[in-house]
Amino acid sequence: MKKFLNKAEDFVDEMLDGIYAAHPDKLRFVADDRRCLVTARPVSGKVGLVTGGGSGHLPLFLGYVGTGLLDGAAVGGVFQSPSADQAFEVTRAADQGAGVLYIYGNYTGDILTFDMAAEMADAEGIRVLSLVGNDDVASSPAGEEHKRRGVAGILFIYKAAGAAAAEGMNLDEVLRVAEKARANTRTMGVALSSCIVPEVGRATFSIGESDMEIGMGIHGEPGIRRGPLRPADEVVDEMLGPILGELSLAKGDSVAVLMNGLGGTPQEELYILYRRVAGVLAERGVSVRKTYVGEFATSMEMAGFSISIMRLDDELARLVAAQADSPFFAQHQG
Amino acid sequence: MKKFLNKAEDFVDEMLDGIYAAHPDKLRFVADDRRCLVTARPVSGKVGLVTGGGSGHLPLFLGYVGTGLLDGAAVGGVFQSPSADQAFEVTRAADQGAGVLYIYGNYTGDILTFDMAAEMADAEGIRVLSLVGNDDVASSPAGEEHKRRGVAGILFIYKAAGAAAAEGMNLDEVLRVAEKARANTRTMGVALSSCIVPEVGRATFSIGESDMEIGMGIHGEPGIRRGPLRPADEVVDEMLGPILGELSLAKGDSVAVLMNGLGGTPQEELYILYRRVAGVLAERGVSVRKTYVGEFATSMEMAGFSISIMRLDDELARLVAAQADSPFFAQHQG
Amino acid sequence: MDKVRKADLVGLFAHLRDVFTEQREALITLDGRLGDSDLGITMNKGFNAAHGAVEANAADDLGKTLNGAGLAFAKAAPSTMGTLTGTGLMRGGKALLGRESLGTGEFALFWRAFRDGVAERGKAKLGDKTVLDVLDPIAATLEAAAREEASLSAALELAAQAAATALDATKAMKAQHGKAAVYQDGSIGVPDAGGTVAHLMIDAMRAFVTR
Amino acid sequence: MDKVRKADLVGLFAHLRDVFTEQREALITLDGRLGDSDLGITMNKGFNAAHGAVEANAADDLGKTLNGAGLAFAKAAPSTMGTLTGTGLMRGGKALLGRESLGTGEFALFWRAFRDGVAERGKAKLGDKTVLDVLDPIAATLEAAAREEASLSAALELAAQAAATALDATKAMKAQHGKAAVYQDGSIGVPDAGGTVAHLMIDAMRAFVTR
Ligand SMILES: Nc1ncnc2c1ncn2[C@@H]1O[C@H](COP(=O)(O)OP(=O)(O)O)[C@@H](O)[C@H]1O
Ligand SMILES: Nc1ncnc2c1ncn2[C@@H]1O[C@H](COP(=O)(O)OP(=O)(O)O)[C@@H](O)[C@H]1O
Ligand SMILES: [Mg+2]
Ligand SMILES: [Mg+2]
Ligand SMILES: [Mg+2]
Ligand SMILES: [Mg+2]
């Protein structure tokens, strides 16, 4: 294992120390627990947005705490859920009198954590609603969407809900927007190499020297097909198939596209891949209103990428384009 | 070689196609040559800033073409210089009547290219000045600074000069600022694994399963010491030594810090490393006014990182803090 | 031991802690087959924290002490089984508020509440190959024993046996929840990791009471 | 051949192209020892383009044709030797504007201008282990031969020999420029890659004229 770290068991806490040291004006923590991360610039009266989940996915999850985005994140160990009381403490800080929406990925541990935190919040009179991201089409067939994992596409939910809350929508409206974003977002991923969990110290899975695995999850969950790595255009075509099918995109539709590197794939390659995505969409008469290319939801050093597409109506297009600012994600208008 | 690409010889051109497809409102090319990249938002009367160099370092170099930053970049093949006529075409487009400053790294091929382009520009009556980045303290001893490679620290020169030009300074003043930024910036890097040049198809160098190489260049140029990977804090301490020494930072000084991942190193680790940097600087009474943590100058999939520090006076602090916006680098005020 | 008294609670949790310290590696290996290998760590940390909480609040109401142990467990060991076990302990404690000691009837109340809490929180169905498939017969067996006024040690013997049988039955099931679910048919033949924990817990109680 | 006439230029560049096509792999390997292995590709691409340009502008003034070949070379093969060779050809062409054919005197003018162009652009000093260390004796030898009114073939024989000797002498030098400079003492013993190119060029001219 070649990682820059001191002790494996301090990985997450030292990472957080670095984050607070680097961004003292934007991020802070509550409850005397650095894993209870909140924005340093809360907005009174705004609906609070809270996320959380395991570490090892930067900029997920905490990277989207910021202006026009989320208000707090409960930070777990590497690939481990945060605890319910951590999520609850973040909820308390994020509540600015207008209630709180949880947005997190569809993993059992996280569901338990946030359900329990919601109960604790309820007991204190904080109104909490929840939305579980499940954009990974590779993880369960259509019809079983509720079983699908949440992966990079959650960024679109954050972005839309974050902008909606910043506009002053109330809790129910923000939930409506988040649900619309979720309903219109699909993701597919492919991996070329494994990540290494620091406390484990060896690769989570092994894969042949010239193989790829389509549909692999961001913790190394098995995908739908393993086989020899194909030319970039063919890989994109295979991945776009189910996404375009499920979104049933047609001529005249607008979308936002997220080309997400899993950690070990150079940005050069993401653009080579995006070239093909843009070509296929153009051919279908689908117009891309917003493109993100980079690392947005990683699996540490895993090589691979995912494509997420969100179909846009006017409201989602407006919300996606809105200003946003966090130490990990800055977007000006236009 | 596990890369997402079609044909190795199309690597750079397809990457560029992807970049133009993703950011049509911000970037375009001139002279009918996609390797002559310029901003889509030129500012009349402003000093033009032009860079260039080999591909394989995204977001270097072209990623810093944008508002408050640079006006154009000549794009070479992977680790190859662009041609002089490409640099010249970019110069032509970047000239908005106030002359052009070249800012690029200290590599023979690039020097030849830009010197020749400057001659061509001169023949057309465009005033061109040049500044060669040489921040890598590992690449030659003090006293031989003119032989040092330019690496990630060039971002600080771009940022300062870009903001200076945006403020309306004239060519000589922008050069003065760029020179000041250069004189006050030092970088050290360390690598854990090699990159792979697509057309070569195998690792540029090999390194032991638990070794690091301190001072390695971003093309795999030999460093100053190879040895077993040490705990993160010790690695940082070894790298900070020469940087702090040469900048002779003292209590009360202000700096900007850039923690740059070389491509294969997860952001989690960069923050663990930054934690130590922040600790050491705090102990010395040096205050960090601006921090960047992420990938700013890479070597494709190389694992490793570099630390760059720029000592700030009031002018540099103002210029570094100024707004900037490119598809790869966005910074709001504050 | 015919009853577990308030004063015995620290000893009971010390025993649970010892069992899960001892079983740490075995649970890591088991969770590694269909999951992420953290279960041994989770349970070890969780029962350390629970024991600490019981020791610190030994003077409290018995139900409150158990409830506090559950909260400490969930805090110390976030993750599926950490949160579920924490929830179970908290609910079990709530069901025993005001009691001075635990006989067969109280154990039945405790495990019923534990089981229902896990079911409510985890939303698994019987047969989904989860801890619930072992918790359910534990609660049912203890309730039957309470109706028949069985001695505590006899009741716990029966419950532990029922758990062992139920655990064995999970081998044939296909995982529907958590990390194991991705293995689909590949999960068949392997006993459920969470179910193994439930069996270890009831067996530890049996051993504590009968020794 | 006592002179290279305007009409022979296409043939000369076809020969150069062939030589550098043939030497492609050898130069890749050589540049790999102290550099980035691209030299064979650079030269192959460069002379392909130069030949194409000469073919396209065969009707032009001889000097202009050579100048255009240099521009095409630099465009097609960016990199150190690409830009330097392109610069050298352009400067050599400029020195021959208005000439109708190339005898010993013209070859001397061409290589002097080539050498000076490379020196000016690259800013290397003699002994720095670069192409300049081979270009310099080529120019000097041709100038001496011109003063002595030697025949073209005799002059090119001498120049090629001088280049071979000079190339051999670069082995003992320590690289100060470009990618090879990082090897420091490690560069000793290996002939300079750019110098090898210069030797191949003059030797190709010799072969073309004497065959
Ligand atoms: N929805 C659920 N309801 C009840 N039990 C569950 C559920 N999902 C998983 N489990 C139990 O959790 C066990 C795994 O626990 P643990 O290792 O803590 O999970 P993780 O590491 O995925 O958080 C499984 O063996 C199963 O018994
Ligand atoms: N400053 C310089 N002046 C003259 N020649 C140089 C200079 N730097 C390098 N060279 C020559 O360039 C050769 C390498 O050429 P090339 O492979 O094209 O370089 P690169 O791949 O680094 O751009 C060296 O062997 C040397 O002869
Ligand atoms: Mg080269
Ligand atoms: Mg587990
Ligand atoms: Mg787990
Ligand atoms: Mg070379």
Side-chain angles (χ1 to χ4, degrees):
Chain A
M1 173 181 61
K2 266 195 188 178
K3 281 186 191 280
F4 295 108
L5 49 75
N6 293 300
K7 289 197 204 116
E9 59 266 36
D10 297 333
F11 190 85
V12 171
D13 290 323
E14 293 196 350
M15 168 196 89
L16 287 167
D17 285 346
I19 288 174
Y20 293 115
H23 314 294
D25 51 331
K26 294 193 175 169
L27 300 173
R28 58 185 199 90
F29 57 87
V30 292
D32 215 22
D33 179 352
R34 47 161 103 70
R35 298 192 179 203
C36 299
L37 181 147
V38 299
T39 177
R41 300 171 180 193
V43 179
S44 170
K46 187 183 83 68
V47 169
L49 297 177
V50 168
T51 192
S55 290
H57 304 299
L58 280 184
L60 267 191
F61 295 89
L62 63 86
Y64 301 104
V65 173
T67 308
L69 294 163
L70 311 176
D71 301 284
V75 181
V78 173
F79 296 179
Q80 302 291 342
S81 304
S83 73
D85 67 297
Q86 288 168 332
F88 169 61
E89 293 293 352
V90 172
T91 307
R92 254 180 159 157
D95 179 42
Q96 296 288 321
V100 170
L101 177 63
Y102 290 164
I103 305 174
Y104 60 93
N106 196 10
Y107 298 93
T108 304
D110 295 329
I111 296 171
L112 298 178
T113 289
F114 281 102
D115 279 357
M116 194 158 162
E119 271 183 42
M120 293 160 91
D122 189 62
E124 273 210 9
I126 303 172
R127 190 167 168 234
V128 172
L129 298 177
S130 288
L131 181 120
V132 179
N134 60 347
D135 50 312
D136 186 356
V137 295
S139 52
S140 277
E144 306 220 339
E145 282 83 0
H146 64 285
K147 286 192 182 176
R148 288 181 175 171
R149 299 182 292 251
V151 287
I154 202 168
L155 168 65
F156 286 139
I157 310 180
Y158 291 160
K159 186 68 193 66
E167 282 186 356
M169 290 190 196
N170 69 27
L171 183 57
D172 296 295
E173 288 173 314
V174 175
L175 176 64
R176 174 188 61 75
V177 162
E179 276 173 345
K180 184 161 68 173
R182 176 175 65 177
N184 285 286
T185 299
R186 295 291 184 284
T187 299
M188 272 280 276
V190 60
L192 297 186
S193 72
S194 178
C195 54
I196 298 173
V197 176
E199 290 199 64
V200 176
R202 53 186 151 64
T204 303
F205 61 90
S206 63
I207 179 165
E209 246 323 296
S210 54
D211 283 351
M212 63 176 176
E213 183 154 333
I214 299 243
M216 176 162 279
I218 53 173
H219 310 98
E221 297 93 336
I224 46 184
R225 191 176 80 72
R226 190 178 277 207
L229 175 58
R230 306 288 310 147
D233 288 358
E234 289 180 32
V235 176
V236 166
D237 290 351
E238 178 167 354
M239 291 166 74
L240 276 182
I243 296 177
L244 299 181
E246 290 204 11
L247 292 177
S248 49
L249 288 174
K251 208 176 148 91
D253 282 342
S254 289
V255 297
V257 178
L258 170 63
M259 296 298 292
N260 173 56
L262 294 180
T265 287
Q267 217 166 0
E268 285 81 4
E269 298 174 33
L270 296 178
Y271 277 104
I272 289 175
L273 294 159
Y274 179 67
R275 171 185 166 277
R276 180 64 168 196
V277 174
V280 170
L281 291 174
E283 208 170 274
R284 294 205 175 202
V286 173
S287 86
V288 181
R289 302 270 286 269
K290 187 87 201 163
T291 308
Y292 299 96
V293 183
E295 293 184 352
F296 298 89
T298 65
S299 190
M300 291 184 289
E301 59 275 271
M302 186 183 284
F305 74 100
S306 63
I307 307 176
S308 303
I309 297 185
M310 173 161 75
R311 196 223 317 260
L312 300 173
D313 61 8
D314 288 344
E315 183 181 48
L316 288 176
R318 180 188 80 236
L319 296 170
V320 166
Q323 284 211 11
D325 187 74
S326 87
F328 297 79
F329 183 91
Q331 177 174 302
H332 296 221
Q333 206 116 23
Chain B
M1 173 181 58
K2 266 194 187 177
K3 283 187 191 280
F4 295 108
L5 49 76
N6 294 299
K7 290 197 205 116
E9 58 267 37
D10 298 333
F11 190 86
V12 170
D13 290 324
E14 293 196 351
M15 168 196 90
L16 287 167
D17 285 348
I19 288 173
Y20 293 115
H23 313 294
D25 51 329
K26 295 193 175 169
L27 300 173
R28 59 185 199 88
F29 57 87
V30 292
D32 217 22
D33 179 353
R34 46 162 105 68
R35 298 191 179 204
C36 300
L37 182 146
V38 299
T39 177
R41 302 171 178 189
V43 179
S44 170
K46 187 184 82 70
V47 169
L49 297 177
V50 168
T51 190
S55 290
H57 304 299
L58 280 184
L60 266 193
F61 296 87
L62 63 86
Y64 302 104
V65 173
T67 308
L69 294 162
L70 311 177
D71 300 284
V75 181
V78 174
F79 296 178
Q80 302 291 341
S81 304
S83 73
D85 67 296
Q86 289 168 332
F88 170 59
E89 293 294 351
V90 172
T91 307
R92 255 179 159 160
D95 179 41
Q96 296 290 319
V100 170
L101 176 64
Y102 291 165
I103 304 173
Y104 60 94
N106 196 10
Y107 298 94
T108 303
D110 296 328
I111 295 170
L112 299 178
T113 289
F114 281 102
D115 279 357
M116 193 158 164
E119 270 182 44
M120 295 160 91
D122 189 60
E124 274 210 10
I126 303 172
R127 187 165 171 238
V128 172
L129 297 178
S130 288
L131 182 120
V132 179
N134 61 345
D135 50 312
D136 187 355
V137 294
S139 52
S140 276
E144 307 220 339
E145 282 82 1
H146 64 285
K147 289 194 179 173
R148 287 180 176 173
R149 298 182 293 250
V151 287
I154 200 168
L155 168 65
F156 287 138
I157 309 180
Y158 291 160
K159 186 68 193 65
E167 282 186 357
M169 289 191 197
N170 69 27
L171 183 56
D172 296 295
E173 287 173 315
V174 175
L175 176 65
R176 174 188 59 76
V177 162
E179 277 173 346
K180 183 162 68 174
R182 177 176 64 178
N184 286 286
T185 298
R186 294 292 184 285
T187 298
M188 273 280 276
V190 60
L192 298 186
S193 72
S194 179
C195 53
I196 299 173
V197 176
E199 290 198 65
V200 177
R202 53 189 150 62
T204 303
F205 61 90
S206 64
I207 179 166
E209 246 323 296
S210 54
D211 283 351
M212 64 175 176
E213 183 155 332
I214 299 245
M216 175 161 280
I218 55 174
H219 310 99
E221 296 94 334
I224 45 183
R225 191 175 80 73
R226 190 178 276 208
L229 176 58
R230 306 288 310 148
D233 288 357
E234 288 180 32
V235 176
V236 166
D237 290 351
E238 179 167 353
M239 293 167 72
L240 277 183
I243 297 177
L244 300 182
E246 290 205 12
L247 291 177
S248 50
L249 288 173
K251 207 177 152 94
D253 282 342
S254 289
V255 297
V257 179
L258 170 63
M259 296 298 292
N260 173 57
L262 293 180
T265 286
Q267 216 166 2
E268 285 81 2
E269 297 173 35
L270 296 180
Y271 277 104
I272 289 174
L273 294 159
Y274 179 66
R275 169 185 168 277
R276 179 64 168 197
V277 175
V280 171
L281 291 174
E283 209 171 273
R284 293 204 177 204
V286 173
S287 88
V288 181
R289 301 270 287 269
K290 186 85 200 164
T291 308
Y292 299 98
V293 184
E295 292 184 354
F296 297 88
T298 65
S299 191
M300 291 185 288
E301 60 275 88
M302 188 184 284
F305 75 98
S306 63
I307 307 175
S308 302
I309 297 184
M310 174 162 73
R311 195 225 317 259
L312 301 173
D313 61 8
D314 288 344
E315 183 181 49
L316 288 176
R318 180 187 81 236
L319 296 169
V320 165
Q323 284 212 13
D325 187 73
S326 87
F328 297 78
F329 183 91
Q331 178 175 302
H332 297 222
Q333 206 117 25
Chain C
M1 201 180 267
D2 60 337
K3 283 180 180 181
V4 173
R5 286 168 192 79
K6 223 172 101 167
D8 298 327
L9 223 49
V10 177
L12 176 61
F13 273 83
H15 183 58
L16 282 161
R17 179 201 59 192
D18 293 346
V19 166
F20 283 96
T21 303
E22 195 191 298
Q23 295 293 324
R24 193 174 190 273
E25 294 309 311
L27 287 174
I28 286 176
T29 306
L30 181 61
D31 190 30
R33 294 182 67 177
L34 301 177
D36 61 356
S37 308
D38 66 346
L39 189 58
I41 303 165
T42 300
M43 287 298 134
N44 189 199
K45 275 193 198 163
F47 276 109
N48 269 333
H51 171 256
V54 170
E55 222 172 15
N57 309 315
D60 254 7
D61 172 86
L62 194 153
K64 251 180 124 171
T65 305
L66 284 171
N67 190 278
L71 199 65
F73 198 110
K75 272 199 191 197
S79 72
T80 304
M81 277 300 291
T83 307
L84 289 177
T85 310
T87 301
L89 288 170
M90 286 166 75
R91 296 292 174 91
K94 260 195 194 162
L96 297 178
L97 285 175
R99 309 274 166 155
E100 281 301 309
S101 66
L102 310 176
T104 303
E106 285 77 13
F107 266 87
L109 284 174
F110 173 86
W111 281 99
R112 163 60 53 195
F114 192 116
R115 179 228 171 267
D116 288 353
V118 167
E120 195 191 309
R121 171 89 42 243
K123 298 186 185 66
K125 295 190 306 293
L126 288 176
D128 281 355
K129 191 171 186 140
T130 71
V131 62
L132 195 66
D133 291 310
V134 179
L135 292 174
D136 189 68
I138 292 175
T141 305
L142 288 172
E143 283 172 337
R147 275 195 303 274
E148 287 160 25
E149 296 181 7
S151 75
L152 181 57
S153 51
L156 289 176
E157 290 278 4
L158 287 170
Q161 268 167 37
T165 309
L167 174 58
D168 201 57
T170 64
K171 286 188 193 165
M173 298 172 185
K174 206 160 107 180
Q176 305 291 343
H177 296 275
K179 301 193 163 100
V182 301
Y183 291 90
Q184 299 283 338
D185 290 346
S187 69
I188 293 172
V190 183
D192 178 54
T196 305
V197 166
H199 171 252
L200 286 169
M201 279 178 66
I202 188 74
D203 199 56
M205 292 185 177
R206 176 202 60 73
F208 180 79
V209 163
T210 58
R211 79 180 164 189
Chain D
M1 200 179 268
D2 60 337
K3 285 182 179 179
V4 173
R5 286 169 191 78
K6 223 173 102 169
D8 299 325
L9 222 50
V10 176
L12 175 61
F13 274 84
H15 183 60
L16 282 161
R17 179 201 58 193
D18 294 346
V19 166
F20 283 96
T21 303
E22 196 191 298
Q23 295 293 326
R24 191 174 192 273
E25 295 309 312
L27 287 174
I28 286 176
T29 307
L30 180 60
D31 190 31
R33 292 181 68 178
L34 301 177
D36 61 355
S37 307
D38 66 345
L39 189 58
I41 303 165
T42 300
M43 288 298 132
N44 190 198
K45 275 192 197 162
F47 277 108
N48 270 332
H51 171 256
V54 170
E55 221 170 17
N57 309 315
D60 254 5
D61 171 85
L62 196 152
K64 253 180 122 173
T65 305
L66 284 170
N67 190 277
L71 200 65
F73 198 110
K75 271 199 193 198
S79 70
T80 303
M81 277 301 291
T83 306
L84 289 178
T85 310
T87 301
L89 289 170
M90 288 168 71
R91 298 290 176 92
K94 261 195 193 162
L96 298 177
L97 286 175
R99 310 272 167 155
E100 281 300 310
S101 67
L102 311 177
T104 304
E106 286 77 15
F107 266 86
L109 283 173
F110 173 87
W111 281 99
R112 163 60 53 195
F114 193 117
R115 179 227 171 269
D116 288 352
V118 168
E120 195 190 307
R121 171 88 45 243
K123 298 184 185 67
K125 294 188 306 292
L126 288 175
D128 282 356
K129 192 173 188 138
T130 72
V131 62
L132 194 65
D133 292 310
V134 178
L135 292 175
D136 188 67
I138 292 175
T141 304
L142 288 172
E143 283 172 335
R147 276 193 302 274
E148 290 159 26
E149 297 182 9
S151 74
L152 181 56
S153 52
L156 289 176
E157 290 280 3
L158 287 170
Q161 269 167 35
T165 310
L167 174 58
D168 201 58
T170 64
K171 285 188 194 165
M173 299 172 185
K174 208 160 108 180
Q176 306 290 343
H177 296 276
K179 300 195 164 96
V182 300
Y183 291 91
Q184 300 282 340
D185 290 346
S187 69
I188 294 173
V190 183
D192 177 54
T196 305
V197 165
H199 171 254
L200 286 167
M201 279 178 65
I202 189 71
D203 198 56
M205 292 184 177
R206 177 203 59 74
F208 181 77
V209 164
T210 58
R211 76 176 167 193

